[in-house]
Amino acid sequence: MANSEYLVQVEHLKEYFSVRSGFGKSIPLKAVDDVSFSIRPGETLGLVGESGCGKTTVGRTLLQLYKPTGGRITFDGDVLYDSGEQYDENGRLKVDANGKPVLGKKVSVNMLPYRKQMQMVFQDPYSSLNPRMTVEDIIGEPLDVHKLCKNSKERRDRVMELMELVGLNAEHAMRYPHEFSGGQRQRIGIARALAVNPKFIVCDEPVSALDVSIQAQVVNMFEDLQEKLGVAYLFIAHDLLVVHHISDRIAVMYLGKMMELADSDELNDNPIHPYTQSLLSAVPIPDPETARNSKRIVLEGDVPSPLHMPSGCPFRTRCRYATEQCAQEMPPLKDRGNGHYVACWNK
């Protein structure tokens, strides 16, 4: 059931890609496998994990830029996608006597009316803008698609308002993307996303391609815009310092699975999952004395291939606490108190 407390609800989301393995056969690459989370109006949920863990795929699947393989997506009380899969109270998929999933009613809606309310800021500001369009046309294109302006004057006024909102000058309107720095291009992308007054924005590593000094400016701008407009963010990144700064809650992913989810400060001060502990131990500490006394938790082994996932918990091959139970079954994401969810049998 949809919960009115939340703007976005994602339940048991799956995104599998078919990869050819030769001789006309293919095997599934499980980029996102059974991921669940919720986001309240005006809240920022940070999504972290190393490269290739499925963070970006979660964001794109949530907006249905990729068609979901399974799960349920609810936005503002409306079900946007439901594969019809049934789950028990422990989060296990219900199957019949033949081992096939028990399916209910499938739901898949036309996303165009929802595009006004759900937008995305892409990772690479160099490739996400059309090089043949001026800044005014890039920002104005969503206004044209959704027919939000009555005439060209109203459109131009709205574009100028958006440019001012993200810190661009009116004289930039007739320039092309190649004439701007990375930080300015990202501001253009943000203005384009804000053009339709969305309630929710997926920010896909929006500062990873920028210089450190520019990163701070863009992150602060995201916070200011949230304060002014009340927009909710799914903030995808691998820089834990940036995510801790901007997020209300943080979710940690590893190989397509959700490992831990908690309030930002709680996760930073009291990480429970071994993978989260390792990630946080690698964050640079500016104070030399504290840095000398801190202990780095180095993970052994390599990240398994998503095409040949280990049985049970995908992290068990690199975990110092792994037991036989970890090899048999993936642990459920359980609440350890105060909304601190962890998927681990031994912590």
Side-chain angles (χ1 to χ4, degrees), residues 106-287:
K106 188 171 182 177
V107 178
S108 184
V109 305
N110 174 19
M111 285 296 293
L112 185 60
Y114 293 95
R115 296 287 179 218
K116 284 194 288 185
Q117 301 177 67
M118 308 170 77
Q119 283 289 308
M120 188 165 190
V121 175
F122 295 90
Q123 177 178 359
D124 186 2
Y126 298 89
S127 62
S128 61
L129 304 177
N130 189 330
R132 293 186 176 87
M133 292 173 70
T134 63
V135 171
E136 182 176 351
D137 287 336
I138 289 170
I139 298 173
E141 188 174 27
L143 302 174
D144 300 337
V145 170
H146 295 284
K147 299 178 173 59
L148 298 178
C149 295
K150 296 173 185 174
N151 52 54
S152 58
K153 182 184 184 304
E154 188 177 328
R155 177 184 186 271
R156 183 170 177 79
D157 290 344
R158 177 61 177 153
V159 169
M160 295 303 151
E161 180 188 337
L162 288 160
M163 289 177 67
E164 186 181 346
L165 193 63
V166 299
L168 294 170
N169 300 325
E171 64 212 43
H172 292 147
M174 300 313 294
R175 294 186 189 175
Y176 291 86
H178 73 269
E179 300 178 66
F180 295 91
S181 67
Q184 288 174 315
R185 290 185 206 192
Q186 198 59 286
R187 288 169 188 266
I188 296 167
I190 295 165
R192 175 178 61 186
L194 292 171
V196 290
N197 288 322
K199 293 181 180 179
F200 172 64
I201 299 178
V202 173
C203 306
D204 179 19
E205 302 203 29
V207 296
S208 64
L210 309 178
D211 292 338
V212 175
S213 58
I214 305 301
Q215 283 185 11
Q217 293 175 20
V218 174
V219 168
N220 289 336
M221 185 180 67
F222 272 116
E223 290 186 310
D224 292 342
L225 290 170
Q226 188 173 51
E227 201 173 305
K228 288 178 186 173
L229 307 173
V231 63
Y233 298 135
L234 175 64
F235 197 92
I236 300 167
H238 53 248
D239 188 331
L240 277 161
L241 283 174
V242 172
V243 171
H244 179 234
H245 174 76
I246 195 172
S247 302
D248 299 299
R249 290 184 299 139
I250 298 175
V252 180
M253 280 186 72
Y254 182 83
L255 273 183
K257 297 276 192 182
M258 191 75 83
M259 295 290 149
E260 192 162 359
L261 172 64
D263 286 345
S264 182
D265 290 335
E266 166 69 14
L267 190 91
N268 202 61
D269 298 337
N270 181 33
I272 296 176
H273 198 282
Y275 178 60
T276 311
Q277 292 173 353
S278 175
L279 281 182
L280 286 168
S281 75
V283 175
I285 301 170
D287 177 41

Side-chain angles (χ1 to χ4, degrees), residues 9-31:
Q9 286 179 274
V10 175
E11 301 165 72
H12 305 289
L13 186 67
K14 297 174 186 173
E15 184 59 71
Y16 299 170
F17 298 105
S18 184
V19 177
R20 292 180 66 181
S21 57
F23 303 106
K25 295 182 179 179
S26 63
I27 53 177
L29 188 155
K30 298 181 178 181

Side-chain angles (χ1 to χ4, degrees), residues 9-69:
Q9 286 179 274
V10 175
E11 301 165 72
H12 305 289
L13 186 67
K14 297 174 186 173
E15 184 59 71
Y16 299 170
F17 298 105
S18 184
V19 177
R20 292 180 66 181
S21 57
F23 303 106
K25 295 182 179 179
S26 63
I27 53 177
L29 188 155
K30 298 181 178 181
V32 177
D33 195 15
D34 200 13
V35 166
S36 301
F37 58 86
S38 301
I39 304 174
R40 296 180 181 89
E43 182 188 33
T44 300
L45 177 70
L47 187 59
V48 300
E50 55 199 287
S51 296
C53 73
K55 305 185 300 296
T56 292
T57 306
V58 167
R60 288 175 175 245
T61 306
L62 173 55
L63 297 184
Q64 296 193 47
L65 299 180
Y66 299 147
K67 203 66 181 173
T69 304

